[in-house]
Amino acid sequence: MATPINNTFYIPLEDVESEHCALIVDNGLDKIKNIDSHKVELNNNRAVITASKPEALPEAISAIRDLGYGVTTVKKTFPVLDMSCASCAVGVETAIQIQPGIVNASVNFATATVALEYLPNMITLAEIKNAVQMAGYDLLIDEDSKQTETLEEIHEKKFNQLKLKTLWAALLTVPVVIIGMFFMDIPYANEIMWILSTPVIVWFGKNFFINAWKQAKHRSANMDTLVALGTGVAYIFSVFNTLFQHFWHERGLHAHVYFEAAAVIITFILLGRLLEEKAKGNTSSAIKKLMGLQPKTVTIITRNEQQTTIPIDKVNHGDIILVKPGEQIAVDGVVTKGNSYVDESMLSGEPVPLLKKENEKVFAGTINQKGSFQFRAEKVGSETMLANIIKMVQEAQGSKAPVQKLVDKIAGIFVPIVIAIAFIAFASWVILGGENGFSQGLIAFATVLVIACPCALGLATPTAIMVGIGKGAEKGILIKDAVSLELSKKVNTVVLDKTGTITEGKPVVTDSHWVDESVVLKQILVSIEKQSEHPLAEAVIKHFDDNNSIVLEHFESITGKGISATIAGKKYLVGNKKLLFEKNITLSETLFEKAIHWSAESKTVIWFADDSQAIAAIAIADKIKKTSIEAIQQLQELGIAIYMLTGDNEATAESIAKKTGITNYKAEVLPEQKAAFIKQLQSEGKIGAMVGDGINDSTALAQADVSIAMGKGSDIAMDVAKMTIISSDLNKIPEAIKLSKQTVATIKQNLFWALFYNVIGIPIAAGVLYPLNGFLLNPMLAGAAMALSSVSVVSNSLRLKWEK
């Protein structure tokens, strides 16, 4: 039995800086019996777990914290009202505990309070209060003071704390460096450096040591282990040399101290993390932009027709919402009163606003123009299209590209190998380094540990993927997973559905020829069609309607043939050629030739006649999108083979193929035949992308290597597809392929530099150049280089944002 959707928990993580850290958390979650499945999304700074029991959440959080990593939770205490006995306290506690996102709830009956710990990204105070009220009690929340902290605000607060910590560490480190490099001979130089560097190591760098110890308890190691070992050894060695200088003097050696190296390493790593956090904040800007499209408050119309402003999270299904000129639409719904043009460019990419009338759908995040209207809320909160787009982008940014699996393996063995190299370097110096061997060995040991950077390696892929997916979202290309983004560059075959993909997917009037161009006659035609239930009638109304209707005296629908109507005593007919022949209507030669020509182009011809002769012939077809021909040409220029599959007849398929320049097509294809065709292409070794918009395309989309849905298509197609083109513009497909090439190129650059850096840096840090030219790398320079390597990888990924 599948795990219910409300048992999926999103745990916000802190201090998980690399894929290696993510791997440690993943392994820790593996040991919790109550968890059904789990994954760590480094880009989203969160762990996603599914569990059948609510106690799995506190167990998971406890395990993550025990591993040395943090979880962002909010702890608050609130008064509980209406409790009359101890069993009431149990009732309140139970009502809160079963809510998703509650880590812990402890009710004290004596003080009538509840101590809460909850995940701010999963539940709000308003929702907790509602759960307590449903149980028959109440929670006293001060609505005026800003009690609810958003995840973004918490992260901002932590970022500011990190900034303050880095600043103080830098202020204390600068004088240590100046003394250590230029004024070593001043009285009490060692003692001054000891005093100044101690807060940097013991206070500002304490988390490195705490986390390293937690890692050691679990027999694992990460970046914190390297930093703690490197700086700890340098600091303790320096303290020993300060207190027991005579130990070295008796052996004819100078008692070197490395307080400045230890302090600078901590400061540089803190600075590196600060810059990294800042850069990672920039990579998620696409999600922030999407979230910013939703207003914070809405105006609802109450039952007594009063207007009242409420927060967006209080909107319920069925509420009537008033949208004023220039306002953003808050939730998805249906217009109930009034009409206005709405800018839907954020969803469709189309710059021209659409007129929204009664019974038409409106979507969250779109912008109302000059009119005002009321609509009924149908999808609120996480149900809206905007919320689904945000969720899709977030999930995509949390997914891993295939190349990442290799990086995970490298990161998993990287830290133990580095520690082994550090010990080998130390032993080599002691054995071969002569009288200064022990001292130089310790420095080499510390330098190797510090310069090694699993962070750069771990950040190489996810930051590029995150920026690539974010860039795609900004361009109207929603990418569900990293696999599709990476695989798109290899696509050599694109299979296109016809209706709704190459064409508009709705019939429109393409041509018309009138014997008499009278405005009145056009009004008569529209007035008759307004009474028709035929699906093609809407196309005629849209094309010719001038909002002036004429009253019909008599109306009769003739099944399978058309309509007969009487206006001002005169009879008119609208229908097919069979109807006209039956009624002995005369057809002019020009009209007849036009009709034959249009039929050859697979267009449907509708006739309009009075009681004696045909007045007009009108051609209706599913129009090819303006951009389809250009997009198909672009794909062909990229060397990609194009196939068109359609359930339509051979003549229509041939006509569309000819106009768009497609040479390979199949007509009258059933849904399962589309999937079989994709499978056949794959068996020939082709990497195929399927592009469709309907439910009938869903099996083929599921079969394809890369599946792309049109944003104006069915929900099922979009659910199955790994990519969605919001605007339904085929030009976005060459853009997606280009974006894939740019992203994969960026990943390769990042991996090359991260690996190249470590391959070159570690041997130099170990002292391999010393026998050749006497060069020995200073530990503080190693710390600076290590910090810069992470920042350079993130910066290279961010560069992808500005590539055309």
Side-chain angles (χ1 to χ4, degrees):
M1 185 175 160
T3 306
I5 219 160
N6 62 349
N7 283 350
T8 298
F9 302 102
Y10 300 93
I11 304 172
L13 300 173
E14 297 167 13
D15 310 318
V16 178
E17 306 293 342
S18 68
E19 278 296 341
H20 181 53
C21 298
L23 205 63
I24 291 168
V25 174
D26 229 5
N27 291 337
L29 293 173
D30 228 12
K31 295 168 186 170
I32 300 170
K33 289 177 184 175
N34 287 323
I35 293 178
D36 299 329
S37 68
H38 58 85
K39 64 173 177 175
V40 177
E41 297 178 352
L42 181 63
N43 284 325
N44 293 327
N45 289 315
R46 70 183 187 184
V48 183
I49 66 167
T50 56
S52 48
K53 295 177 182 176
E55 57 263 32
L57 180 61
E59 284 174 10
I61 289 170
S62 175
I64 292 165
R65 285 174 174 162
D66 195 40
L67 285 164
Y69 302 102
V71 174
T72 308
T73 61
V74 175
K75 292 181 181 179
K76 288 189 181 290
T77 302
F78 298 103
V80 183
L81 307 179
D82 306 327
M83 289 195 300
S84 55
C85 62
S87 63
C88 295
V90 176
V92 172
E93 208 168 278
T94 307
I96 296 172
Q97 285 279 26
I98 60 171
Q99 301 306 309
I102 297 292
V103 180
N104 189 37
S106 177
V107 178
N108 187 324
F109 177 62
T111 58
T113 57
V114 59
L116 288 174
E117 184 180 6
Y118 62 93
L119 299 176
N121 59 316
M122 283 200 69
I123 194 164
T124 63
L125 284 177
E127 288 167 331
I128 298 169
K129 181 174 181 173
N130 187 49
V132 173
Q133 287 173 335
M134 293 288 282
Y137 309 97
D138 205 355
L139 202 63
L140 193 63
I141 298 170
D142 183 3
E143 298 286 354
D144 298 326
S145 70
K146 198 175 178 200
Q147 295 267 23
T148 309
E149 286 184 288
T150 65
L151 201 55
E152 201 171 310
E153 286 166 348
I154 293 166
H155 284 159
E156 184 67 27
K157 198 187 288 180
K158 289 192 183 297
F159 175 76
N160 290 332
Q161 286 172 353
L162 181 59
K163 191 162 43 172
L164 196 65
K165 199 188 276 189
T166 307
L167 179 66
W168 274 106
L171 288 172
L172 290 169
T173 300
V174 169
V176 178
V177 172
I178 293 167
I179 295 167
M181 295 186 81
F182 306 108
F183 301 103
M184 273 303 294
D185 298 328
I186 65 169
Y188 303 107
N190 287 2
E191 285 76 4
I192 295 167
M193 288 192 290
W194 182 10
I195 291 165
L196 290 172
S197 63
T198 299
V200 178
I201 309 298
V202 175
W203 183 250
F204 301 120
K206 68 176 180 179
N207 284 345
F208 297 116
F209 297 94
I210 292 167
N211 294 339
W213 171 244
K214 286 179 178 178
Q215 293 296 315
K217 282 198 299 183
H218 292 273
R219 293 179 186 173
S220 63
N222 66 358
M223 184 63 198
D224 292 332
T225 311
L226 299 183
V227 174
L229 275 172
T231 56
V233 166
Y235 179 77
I236 292 164
F237 182 56
S238 299
V239 170
F240 178 84
N241 287 2
T242 302
L243 295 174
F244 306 104
Q245 292 183 28
H246 62 275
F247 177 83
W248 300 107
H249 294 160
E250 286 167 5
R251 288 161 178 78
L253 298 171
H254 183 68
H256 288 285
V257 294
Y258 298 97
F259 289 118
E260 81 281 7
V264 167
I265 289 163
I266 296 287
T267 304
F268 269 132
I269 291 169
L270 287 173
L271 179 63
R273 288 199 175 170
L274 184 73
L275 295 172
E276 211 174 275
E277 283 300 314
K278 187 77 177 167
K280 278 203 258 181
N282 292 337
T283 60
S284 61
S285 60
I287 289 175
K288 286 176 188 169
K289 282 178 188 172
L290 289 168
M291 287 175 168
L293 292 168
Q294 200 173 41
K296 300 290 179 284
T297 59
V298 296
T299 304
I300 65 163
I301 308 294
T302 59
R303 287 181 182 175
N304 56 0
E305 294 297 311
Q306 296 294 310
Q307 293 183 19
T308 180
T309 302
I310 62 166
I312 190 165
D313 54 10
K314 296 281 178 71
V315 175
N316 296 312
H317 293 93
D319 281 351
I320 301 298
I321 297 170
L322 173 67
V323 185
K324 295 171 186 172
E327 283 187 346
Q328 282 180 321
I329 292 164
V331 295
D332 294 3
V334 174
V335 177
T336 55
K337 188 177 179 182
N339 60 70
S340 177
Y341 282 92
V342 174
D343 178 1
E344 290 192 345
S345 58
M346 60 79 60
L347 291 177
S348 65
E350 299 293 331
V352 181
L354 300 173
L355 179 63
K356 297 289 179 178
K357 298 179 285 190
E358 278 187 39
N359 298 321
E360 290 195 343
K361 289 182 179 179
V362 289
F363 301 99
T366 56
I367 302 166
N368 182 28
Q369 300 292 288
K370 293 178 182 176
S372 66
F373 61 90
Q374 294 175 17
F375 73 95
R376 182 178 61 254
E378 291 211 326
K379 291 181 178 179
V380 301
S382 61
E383 303 168 335
T384 66
M385 187 186 285
L386 178 62
N388 283 330
I389 288 170
I390 292 167
K391 188 182 175 190
M392 198 187 291
V393 173
Q394 257 184 329
E395 285 176 354
Q397 290 187 334
S399 61
K400 290 181 185 178
V403 71
Q404 187 61 42
K405 290 169 187 171
L406 172 65
V407 178
D408 288 353
K409 284 179 184 174
I410 295 168
I413 59 169
F414 183 82
V415 174
I417 287 172
V418 169
I419 293 170
I421 291 170
F423 276 108
I424 291 166
F426 172 70
S428 302
W429 273 101
V430 170
I431 296 163
L432 306 170
E435 57 184 21
N436 280 330
F438 183 80
S439 176
Q440 300 285 33
L442 277 176
I443 297 309
F445 178 81
T447 311
V448 168
L449 293 172
V450 167
I451 201 165
C453 189
C455 293
L457 197 62
L459 289 166
T461 303
T463 51
I465 289 289
M466 194 172 187
V467 175
I469 286 171
K471 188 178 178 181
E474 285 174 12
K475 286 178 169 286
I477 305 163
L478 293 181
I479 304 164
K480 271 191 188 177
D481 66 2
V483 178
S484 295
L485 181 61
E486 192 183 328
L487 205 55
S488 296
K489 75 178 280 286
K490 297 178 183 175
V491 165
N492 51 28
T493 307
V494 172
V495 179
L496 301 169
D497 168 53
K498 178 185 76 73
T499 310
T501 302
I502 296 173
T503 65
E504 296 283 359
K506 53 188 176 187
V508 292
V509 172
T510 58
D511 310 272
S512 64
H513 187 82
W514 294 74
V515 172
D516 182 350
E517 288 273 7
S518 162
V519 173
V520 175
L521 285 171
K522 287 180 181 177
Q523 287 174 357
I524 290 169
L525 172 65
V526 170
S527 301
I528 295 168
E529 288 285 41
K530 279 181 178 176
Q531 300 297 315
S532 172
E533 292 177 2
H534 194 279
L536 296 180
E538 190 63 34
V540 176
I541 296 163
K542 275 188 176 176
H543 190 76
F544 294 109
D545 195 6
D546 63 358
N547 293 322
N548 291 314
S549 294
I550 294 170
V551 179
L552 307 183
E553 293 166 11
H554 173 76
F555 178 87
E556 183 191 353
S557 179
I558 304 161
T559 307
K561 293 169 189 171
I563 303 161
S564 167
T566 306
I567 296 169
K570 192 169 184 178
K571 200 170 188 179
Y572 292 93
L573 299 168
V574 179
N576 55 26
K577 195 162 59 174
K578 196 186 284 185
L579 176 65
L580 268 61
F581 285 161
E582 239 178 50
K583 303 291 183 182
N584 297 316
I585 304 298
T586 306
L587 272 67
S588 73
E589 194 176 328
T590 310
L591 275 182
F592 195 70
E593 283 175 4
K594 289 276 183 192
I596 290 170
H597 176 68
W598 293 334
S599 296
E601 292 181 338
S602 301
K603 295 176 182 177
T604 304
V605 180
I606 290 176
W607 297 87
F608 175 45
D610 58 20
D611 51 10
S612 61
Q613 64 166 1
I615 300 166
I618 297 144
I620 295 176
D622 184 4
K623 207 172 179 182
I624 294 169
K625 291 175 190 171
K626 288 176 184 176
T627 55
S628 290
I629 297 169
E630 184 192 338
I632 288 162
Q633 195 177 332
Q634 277 189 56
L635 288 167
Q636 287 169 337
E637 284 169 4
L638 289 169
I640 294 168
I642 309 288
Y643 292 84
M644 182 182 79
L645 302 182
T646 177
D648 221 328
N649 61 62
E650 180 72 30
T652 304
E654 186 184 2
S655 171
I656 297 292
K658 200 177 283 181
K659 285 176 184 171
T660 54
I662 296 171
T663 51
N664 303 307
Y665 68 90
K666 282 179 177 282
E668 297 175 18
V669 180
L670 297 172
E672 59 270 24
Q673 290 173 325
K674 287 183 180 181
F677 183 73
I678 299 280
K679 204 178 277 184
Q680 182 194 323
L681 290 173
Q682 288 169 331
S683 68
E684 294 167 10
K686 290 173 180 169
I687 308 291
M690 172 70 198
V691 189
D693 76 319
I695 295 168
N696 63 329
D697 300 318
S698 56
T699 47
L701 287 166
Q703 178 63 44
D705 297 298
V706 176
S707 46
I708 305 168
M710 297 287 107
K712 292 178 182 175
S714 74
D715 288 348
I716 292 174
M718 283 187 273
D719 282 347
V720 172
K722 298 297 183 189
M723 281 192 200
T724 300
I725 307 296
I726 297 176
S727 63
S728 297
D729 177 358
L730 285 181
N731 268 325
K732 298 288 180 186
I733 296 170
E735 277 188 41
I737 291 169
K738 193 175 180 183
L739 180 63
S740 170
K741 287 178 178 175
Q742 289 173 343
T743 307
V744 172
T746 304
I747 290 169
K748 286 178 178 174
Q749 288 161 15
N750 286 351
L751 286 173
F752 171 78
W753 287 113
L755 288 166
F756 177 79
Y757 164 84
N758 280 300
V759 166
I760 297 295
I762 292 172
I764 292 171
V768 76
L769 295 177
Y770 189 78
L772 303 172
N773 57 13
F775 178 78
L776 195 61
L777 187 66
N778 190 310
M780 71 181 163
L781 290 178
M786 191 282 303
L788 287 170
S789 67
S790 291
V791 175
S792 64
V793 163
V794 176
S795 302
N796 190 47
S797 294
L798 286 170
R799 191 179 53 82
L800 181 60
K801 269 179 137 178
W802 296 286
E803 277 195 37
K804 289 184 180 177

